[in-house]
Structures are given as C-alpha cells and as structure tokens.
C-alpha cells in the first residue's frame, strides 16, 4: 500500500486511472469479466477501486472533474455489474448528483443511469422509484432559479418511464393512487389543504401528465384516474387566492386532453377564474409577479390590479386553448354554445375595455367556426352513431380559424413572457448583488469600529466611555 501526500501527484494518479484503467481491464478480463480465468486474481482489487470511485463522486466540487469521473464510471459499468452492492452505490451516488448539482452534472449523471438500465434491464423498477422520490424531494419549492432544474429532472424521468411500459404502469399505478389517497384524506378527514396545495404535489402531477400524454395502449387505463384526481384538486378550495394553482392544473389537463384525444369538462373552472376579473379591483397598484411560479397569493394581493391582469391573461390563454381544441370536432356548434353564452354574459358585466375587446375576439371566431361546421355537416349522409365516419369527417377538416388564431397568439405571448422572465431574472440577480454588497459594507464598518475602539483603549481610554 502507498500513501500519496502531494496534491499534484494525486491529480496525476487520478488522471492516469481515468485514462487507462478501462482499456487495461478490458484487455485483461475481456468482454465478460466474471468468465475470465484472471477474475479471481483481480476481483478484490477491482472491487476496492470501484468502491473508491463511487465514494469520490461525493467529495468532488468541480463540475468538470465530477463529469469526467461519472463518464469513467459509465465506462466501468461492465465491471460494476459483477458486484450487486456496488451497483446500489453507483445508483445512489449518481441520483445524488442528479438531484442537487449543476445542469451539466445532472445530464451526465442521467446518462450514466440510463446506461445502467440498458445494461441491467431488471433494475429499471427500483431505479424509477428512487429517482421519483429524489424528484419529489427537489421539487418542494418553485421559483425562477429552481424552475429550469425541476423541468430538467422531470424530462429525465419521463424519458426513463418510456423505456418499459409495463414497469411504468406498475410504478404509475402506485404513485397515482398515492396522489388520490392524499386528496381523499383532505376531503374525508378534513386535513389541512396544504398537503395537496403545494409545489411538491403539483410537480408530481406534472410528471404523470407528461408520461401519459405520450404513452402506449397499456398505460391508457391510468388516464381516467389521473384526470379525476386533478378535477378533485380544483374542487378543494374555490378562493381566488388559489387561482394560480387552479390555472396550473387546468393547463395540465388541457395538455393531456389534446395529446390523448379526450374531452375534459373544464368550462366551469375556467369561467370561475374569468368571472373574478369582471369587476375591476381598486386596490393600490403593486408590482406584478410571475404567476407561473406561484400557487397562492395573499388576501391583500388578491385585490390588486396586477393580480387581476395576471389571472385574466392566463384565463384568456386557457379558454382560447379549450375552444381551439373543440373546433376540430363535428359537435363544435353544440359544445361551443355554453361558452358563447358565458362569454357574452362576462362582456356585459365587465367594465374593463381591454378585457372585453379580447373576449370579443374569441366570441367572433367561435361563432364563425360554429357556422362553418354547421354548414359543412348539413350535407353528410351518416348519423351520429357512425363514430368511424364522424372521425374521418373530422380528420378531413382544415385547420380552423380558432386554431390559427391561438397558434399565432401563443407565439407572440411566449416571446413577451420570455422577455419578462429574463428581465425578472436580471432584477433578482441585481437584488442579490445589492444585498451582498450591503452585508460586506456592514461587516467592514463593524471591523473598522472595532479597530478604532481597540486603538483608543490602547491609548488609555476606557471602553465604557466609548460606548456611552
């Protein structure tokens, strides 16, 4: 055994191992290490090396070095597979990096876990559960800084869930049932609503919506219970303070409905948010907040014009999305009738010209599409019972005016939203820098006053007089 004290020598030894150990071991043991006649000679030393390699991941702070070591671990997977306990350490160390390091380190850790599943497919179920638990731990808070990290982790999870639909069904059934039990406990046992109305719960819903939005036939039975859970989430509390959470949930259901060709009745919760904007708030103007990173606002902020504008913008987008999805249906004239009735009622009661002009656009285009579909279907020869013929007729429809308007509006809206979010991120960074400068100034002023006090005390002045 050797002990290396010089740090430069340690770095050289590590670089040497990372560069040549894989080639040397493959040359010595071949493609199947455990079948090699030399296996028993190198088994103990190799196990020690792999153990130290995984332990090293928890000690590194540099992203470049950490990524290099994780890539080396990935190349050493054929040798890790020979030790079941080391595979668990490999998974634990990579999931830790995936959950709390930089974006580059997260991606490299994910590719290492993905390679493990391809090497050992039977480990997929346990890996999905561990990664899902880590995701729930890291998604308890959502803000401008953590949003991108949470989205990245969610996308990684969705990619792994696509590998084996049967394993995904088992895992999905377990955790969707867990979400349903949580909602039921709030309804039946009258527990605090915060057990559901929090970012951890909403981000879990995001995962399963993303998984089921692009799923095989074997996963489709999970769609209905997930929709029921989300509808019940909307019913738990109707206070305008929770409208951001309601709009998050509605957006998820609209995405799921569009991806799976299902209709979800969302008119009532959408109009509840819209009706909140009918009467203009007269509270003092306040700084607008990004509602995409908020689930609840205070009672005081609920009465502000900035909050009302934010709720209206999101409600307008989701109502437009809702009717544009319906506009490709043969039953659009009947389905759009209650929408038009409620929107006309809103325009009559609303005293904000900006809101009424935007709602008027939806009304005009909805009525135009309704007339067009009524004219087109007046010449069909099949009855409403002929679902296959109706489906063919709908597929032959050209893109509706509503869909074109929604796509063009969404493109403009996203560009404006991206600019606003970039500006908000810059403002947050400036505020942090200002706070750091203030803290440094306070520390420096404190040190100067202490030095002055010590110097005066050395000249014979008592400390008590200085404080007085």
């Amino acid at each position: 055994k050797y002990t290396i004290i010089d740090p430069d020598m340690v770095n050289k030894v590590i670089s040497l191992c990372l560069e040549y150990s894989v080639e040397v071991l493959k040359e010595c043991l071949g493609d199947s290490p455990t079948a090699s006649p030399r296996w028993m000679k190198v088994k103990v030393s190799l196990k020690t090396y792999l153990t130290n390699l995984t332990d090293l991941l928890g000690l590194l702070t540099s992203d470049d070095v950490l990524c290099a070591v994780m890539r080396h671990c990935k190349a050493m997977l054929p040798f890790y597979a020979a030790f079941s306990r080391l595979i668990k350490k490999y998974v634990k160390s990579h999931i830790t990096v995936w959950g709390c390091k930089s974006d580059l380190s997260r991606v490299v850790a994910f590719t290492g876990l993905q390679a493990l599943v391809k090497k050992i497919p039977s480990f997929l179920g346990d890996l999905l559960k561990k990664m899902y638990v880590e995701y729930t731990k890291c998604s308890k808070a959502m803000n401008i800084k953590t949003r991108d990290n949470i989205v990245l982790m969610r996308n990684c999870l969705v990619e792994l869930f696509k590998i084996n639909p049967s394993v995904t069904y088992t895992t999905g059934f377990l955790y969707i049932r867990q979400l349903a039990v949580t909602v039921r406990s709030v309804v039946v046992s009258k527990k605090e609503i915060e057990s559901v109305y929090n970012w951890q719960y909403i981000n879990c819903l995001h995962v399963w919506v993303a998984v089921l939005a692009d799923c095989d036939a074997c996963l489709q039975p999970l769609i209905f219970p997930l929709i029921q859970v989300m509808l019940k989430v909307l019913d738990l509390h109707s206070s305008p303070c929770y409208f951001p959470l309601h709009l998050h949930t509605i957006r998820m259901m609209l995405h799921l409905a569009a991806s799976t060709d299902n209709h979800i009745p969302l008119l009532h919760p959408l109009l509840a948010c819209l009706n909140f904007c009918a009467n203009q708030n007269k509270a003092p103007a306040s700084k607008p907040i990004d509602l995409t990173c908020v689930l609840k606002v205070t009672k005081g902020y609920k009465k502000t014009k900035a909050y009302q504008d934010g709720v209206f913008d999101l409600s307008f987008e989701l109502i437009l999305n809702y009717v544009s999805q319906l506009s490709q249906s043969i039953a659009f004239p009947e389905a759009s009738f209650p929408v038009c009735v409620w929107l006309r009622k809103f325009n009559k009661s609303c005293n904000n010209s900006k809101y009424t002009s935007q709602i008027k656009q939806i009304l005009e285009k909805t009525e135009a599409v309704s007339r067009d579909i009524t004219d087109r279907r007046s010449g069909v020869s099949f009855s409403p019972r002929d679902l296959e013929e109706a489906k063919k007729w709908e597929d032959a429809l050209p893109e509706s005016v509503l869909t074109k308007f929604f796509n063009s509006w969404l493109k403009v809206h996203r560009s404006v939203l991206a600019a606003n979010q970039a500006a908000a991120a810059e403002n947050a960074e400036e505020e942090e820098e200002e706070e750091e400068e203030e803290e440094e100034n306070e520390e420096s002023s404190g040190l100067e006053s202490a030095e002055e006090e010590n110097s005066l005390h050395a000249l014979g002045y008592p400390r008590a007089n200085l404080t007085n």
Side-chain angles (χ1 to χ4, degrees):
K1 293 183 179 181
Y2 300 93
T3 301
I4 304 174
I5 301 175
D6 185 11
D8 293 334
M9 184 59 67
V10 172
N11 293 334
K12 290 179 181 179
V13 171
I14 293 175
S15 299
L16 183 69
C17 293
L18 296 181
E19 187 173 357
Y20 295 108
S21 59
V22 176
E23 296 179 5
V24 171
L25 287 170
K26 284 185 177 180
E27 184 70 25
C28 177
L29 301 176
D31 295 331
S32 55
T34 55
S36 172
R38 300 173 180 172
W39 171 247
M40 296 307 296
K41 294 181 181 180
V42 300
K43 180 180 177 181
V44 176
S45 300
L46 180 59
K47 185 177 181 181
T48 303
Y49 175 73
L50 295 176
T51 303
N52 293 334
L53 197 61
T54 49
D55 291 340
L56 183 63
L57 292 177
L59 304 174
L60 297 173
T61 56
S62 171
D63 286 335
D64 294 335
V65 179
L66 181 61
C67 291
V69 174
M70 285 193 293
R71 292 189 184 100
H72 179 62
C73 290
K74 180 182 175 182
M76 296 288 289
L77 265 177
F79 308 104
Y80 271 104
F83 306 98
S84 58
R85 291 185 178 180
L86 286 181
I87 283 289
K88 293 179 180 179
K89 290 192 68 174
Y90 176 95
V91 169
K92 184 178 180 180
S93 60
H94 278 65
I95 288 179
T96 302
V97 174
W98 178 72
C100 63
K101 296 294 183 179
S102 65
D103 288 349
L104 178 61
S105 301
R106 290 172 193 266
V107 173
V108 175
F110 171 70
T111 56
L113 294 170
Q114 202 174 28
L116 170 64
V117 171
K118 292 179 180 179
K119 182 70 178 177
I120 312 174
S122 60
F123 207 80
L124 177 62
D126 292 336
L127 179 62
L128 287 175
K129 291 178 182 178
K130 291 176 180 178
M131 291 183 70
Y132 184 82
V133 170
E134 184 68 22
Y135 170 79
T136 59
K137 291 178 181 178
C138 298
S139 61
K140 291 181 179 180
M142 174 80 88
N143 52 51
I144 296 174
K145 294 181 179 179
T146 61
R147 176 173 52 196
D148 293 339
N149 292 334
I150 293 172
V151 172
L152 175 62
M153 294 180 71
R154 184 189 308 152
N155 293 338
C156 293
L157 260 179
V158 172
E159 284 298 316
L160 285 183
F161 276 119
K162 290 179 180 179
I163 294 176
N164 191 330
S166 61
V167 176
T168 301
Y169 179 86
T170 305
T171 310
F173 181 86
L174 173 67
Y175 288 116
I176 291 175
R177 182 181 179 276
Q178 191 178 71
L179 295 173
V181 169
T182 306
V183 174
R184 184 178 180 275
S185 65
V186 174
V187 176
V188 177
S189 304
K190 304 298 180 183
K191 290 185 178 180
E192 293 184 359
I193 199 172
E194 281 73 17
S195 60
V196 173
Y197 279 16
N198 59 71
W199 273 118
Q200 189 178 41
Y201 193 94
I202 297 300
N203 282 321
C204 289
L205 289 176
H206 268 295
V207 168
W208 297 115
V209 168
V211 170
L212 298 180
D214 182 19
C215 65
D216 292 347
C218 67
L219 294 177
Q220 290 182 0
L222 296 176
I223 295 175
F224 179 74
L226 181 63
I227 292 173
Q228 292 298 309
V229 169
M230 290 191 286
L231 288 174
K232 199 62 187 176
V233 168
L234 295 178
D235 293 338
L236 289 180
H237 208 297
S238 59
S239 171
C241 294
Y242 289 104
F243 278 170
L245 183 142
H246 289 195
L247 293 168
H248 279 295
T249 310
I250 292 170
R251 187 191 297 277
M252 285 189 281
M253 285 193 278
L254 285 173
H255 174 60
L256 188 60
S259 303
T260 59
D261 198 20
N262 287 311
H263 173 68
I264 305 174
L266 294 172
L267 182 59
H268 184 269
L270 278 171
L271 293 175
C273 297
L274 188 64
N275 288 335
F276 167 73
C277 306
N279 297 320
Q280 190 168 0
N281 287 337
K282 298 181 180 180
S286 62
K287 186 178 178 181
I289 60 176
D290 186 3
L291 294 183
T292 59
C293 295
V294 173
L295 294 182
K296 179 189 175 182
V297 297
T298 61
K299 292 182 179 179
Y301 190 78
K302 178 189 72 173
K303 301 175 182 178
T304 61
K305 184 69 168 58
Y307 179 63
Q308 193 178 52
D309 288 341
V311 171
F312 177 82
D313 289 341
L314 288 176
S315 301
F316 178 82
E317 176 192 345
L318 297 178
I319 290 173
L320 186 56
N321 188 359
Y322 180 70
V323 293
S324 68
Q325 288 185 21
L326 294 175
S327 65
Q328 300 299 122
S329 171
I330 195 172
F332 181 75
E334 290 77 18
S336 63
F337 177 76
V339 179
C340 293
V341 170
W342 278 97
L343 293 183
R344 288 194 198 98
K345 185 177 179 181
F346 172 82
N347 269 5
K348 288 181 180 179
S349 61
C350 182
N351 52 11
N352 190 318
S353 59
K354 177 188 173 183
Y355 297 168
T356 55
S357 61
Q358 290 183 265
I359 294 298
K360 189 177 179 181
Q361 287 181 306
I362 299 181
L363 266 172
E364 291 174 352
K365 288 175 172 53
T366 301
E367 290 171 350
V369 174
S370 180
R371 288 193 298 269
D372 179 59
I373 291 182
T374 301
D375 294 339
R376 287 175 180 271
R377 75 181 186 184
S378 61
V380 300
S381 58
F382 55 87
S383 67
R385 294 181 180 180
D386 300 328
L387 300 180
E388 293 183 1
E389 292 294 328
K391 180 64 177 174
K392 291 179 182 178
W393 188 87
E394 290 174 349
D395 293 339
L397 281 176
E399 190 178 36
S400 69
V401 178
L402 268 171
T403 305
K404 292 178 181 177
F405 176 68
F406 173 66
N407 291 335
S408 61
W409 181 90
L410 192 61
K411 190 180 294 185
V412 175
H413 179 70
R414 282 178 175 173
S415 62
V416 173
L417 185 63
N420 292 338
Q421 290 176 351
E426 290 179 1
N427 292 334
E429 290 179 359
E430 291 176 359
E431 290 176 359
E432 284 185 357
E433 290 177 358
E434 291 176 358
E435 290 177 358
E436 290 177 358
E437 289 179 359
E438 290 178 358
E439 290 178 357
E440 290 177 358
N441 293 334
E442 289 177 358
E443 290 177 358
S444 61
S445 62
L447 290 173
E448 289 175 359
S449 61
E451 289 175 358
E452 292 175 358
E453 184 179 345
N454 291 333
S455 60
L456 290 172
H457 179 67
L459 294 173
Y461 291 93
R463 293 184 186 271
N465 293 339
L466 291 174
T467 57
N468 293 331

